[in-house]
Amino acid sequence: LCSSLEIKEKEIREKGSEILREQLDAAKKELKLKDKECERLSQVRNQLEQELEELTASLFEEAHKMVHEANVKQAAAEKQLKEAQGKIDVLQAEVTALKALVLTSTPSSPNRQLHPQLQSSGTRGAYKHVGGHIRNKSASGAFPSSLGKPEPSSVSVQPVAKEDREMDSVLYAEFLMWKENPSLERSSAFLSRIYREDIGPCLSFTRSELSQLVQSAVENNSLTVEPVAMSALPMVKASAIECGGPKKCALSGMSRLCRHRIKLGDKGSYYYISPSSRARITAVCNFFTYIRYIQQGLVRHDAEQMFWEVMRLRREMTVAKLGFYLTDEG
């Protein structure tokens, strides 16, 4: 009986041990699975932390870059605003002065400050500039013997006839039609004729491509003419052939002493021009300035006065095209 109990007890122990071992193995397997899951979650966490750190650094860098760009743009905008305000003040002053000059100038009594090419009353009889056709009664319509230096007797003794004029009905009709709706478009008969007979020939230089650029700049009111300091040779970005030089005109290509240079719009290059080329460009600019004043309603004259001022400006373009121009020397 005792041995039978011992055998049963032994079987129970073995069975209990086996159950415990099975439970222990299951617990170990479950623990391994949890360890793997923890390791995987740890890797995910590390990866997310790294990505978050990189994203934060990228955002800070982008924000710093945006702030820097915004500061640069703000500084540039403030500079442009300041320059624009300065230009506006200058232009307003110029417009006020020019308006005053235009309003006080008539063809019969031109403002000499607006038209500096006109001579003073004391020298009107002398053959000093080519703005008008001067005839001498005793010489049967002939010009003085020497250009710019008439003989003393021809000035002091012989009377000089007053210049007269007669209106062309076709030109006046074209002007009146244009004046009803003034525009800078070439489609009108008035401007089409002036382009064909005056502006085109006056701005037709040897350098045809540059001539077209000059005409476009004049039409857009973006051409700048400025004097050149003859003591220094300014640096230019374009080639010497393109820009000419102090002793070579960029438009005609001829060797001439160039006391002025032009700039076309916002381009960085300057073009040296001879006195004759400058006179031709200036004559066309004066014409465009006057018709812009008419277009803007700044000219308070009647139609006939405006017409004769336009004819005078056309004559200036013709005279300049023929090679005549005024100099600053006595």
Side-chain angles (χ1 to χ4, degrees), residues 120-147:
S120 61
S121 58
T123 60
R124 191 174 298 173
Y127 187 79
K128 187 174 181 180
H129 75 90
V130 295
H133 185 145
I134 299 176
R135 293 184 293 113
N136 188 290
K137 289 184 179 179
S138 60
S140 301
F143 284 95
S145 58
S146 61
L147 211 65

Side-chain angles (χ1 to χ4, degrees), residues 107 167 171-172 175-180 290 294 299-311:
M167 181 181 294
L171 298 181
Y172 188 57
F175 172 74
L176 291 179
M177 187 176 300
W178 172 84
K179 185 177 176 295
E180 291 180 359
Y290 189 71
I294 297 177
V299 182
R300 304 301 182 187
H301 298 156
D302 58 35
E304 185 174 342
Q305 290 175 316
M306 294 182 189
F307 171 77
W308 281 117
E309 179 63 15
V310 169
M311 293 303 103

Side-chain angles (χ1 to χ4, degrees), residues 175-194:
F175 172 74
L176 291 179
M177 187 176 300
W178 172 84
K179 185 177 176 295
E180 291 180 359
N181 186 22
S183 168
L184 299 182
E185 299 294 331
R186 303 189 192 184
S187 55
S188 66
F190 168 69
L191 281 183
S192 177
R193 177 190 296 274
I194 295 177

Side-chain angles (χ1 to χ4, degrees), residues 83-258:
E83 292 177 352
Q85 289 176 342
K87 290 181 180 179
I88 289 174
D89 293 340
V90 173
L91 290 174
Q92 286 178 343
E94 291 180 354
V95 168
T96 302
L98 289 173
K99 185 176 180 180
L101 292 174
V102 170
L103 295 178
T104 57
S105 176
T106 63
S108 59
S109 180
N111 190 310
R112 302 188 183 282
Q113 190 175 359
L114 180 62
H115 310 299
Q117 72 280 0
L118 297 178
Q119 303 177 46
S120 61
S121 58
T123 60
R124 191 174 298 173
Y127 187 79
K128 187 174 181 180
H129 75 90
V130 295
H133 185 145
I134 299 176
R135 293 184 293 113
N136 188 290
K137 289 184 179 179
S138 60
S140 301
F143 284 95
S145 58
S146 61
L147 211 65
K149 294 182 179 180
E151 296 179 359
S153 59
S154 65
V155 176
S156 59
V157 178
Q158 299 177 355
V160 179
K162 180 182 178 181
E163 181 184 66
D164 206 350
R165 63 193 184 190
E166 181 178 349
M167 181 181 294
D168 186 293
S169 59
V170 175
L171 298 181
Y172 188 57
E174 292 177 351
F175 172 74
L176 291 179
M177 187 176 300
W178 172 84
K179 185 177 176 295
E180 291 180 359
N181 186 22
S183 168
L184 299 182
E185 299 294 331
R186 303 189 192 184
S187 55
S188 66
F190 168 69
L191 281 183
S192 177
R193 177 190 296 274
I194 295 177
Y195 265 98
R196 183 176 64 255
E197 298 179 359
D198 302 311
I199 297 174
C202 196
L203 295 182
S204 177
F205 297 94
T206 304
R207 295 282 310 283
S208 57
E209 293 183 2
L210 182 57
S211 300
Q212 293 176 0
L213 295 177
V214 169
Q215 181 171 325
S216 298
V218 172
E219 293 170 345
N220 298 330
N221 201 21
S222 60
L223 182 139
T224 304
V225 182
E226 62 181 41
V228 177
M230 303 307 295
S231 60
L233 300 181
M235 297 297 293
V236 293
K237 296 181 180 179
S239 63
I241 295 177
E242 179 183 358
C243 289
K247 294 185 179 180
K248 185 176 183 181
C249 179
L251 287 167
S252 67
M254 301 180 66
S255 297
R256 294 289 186 272
L257 183 61
C258 301

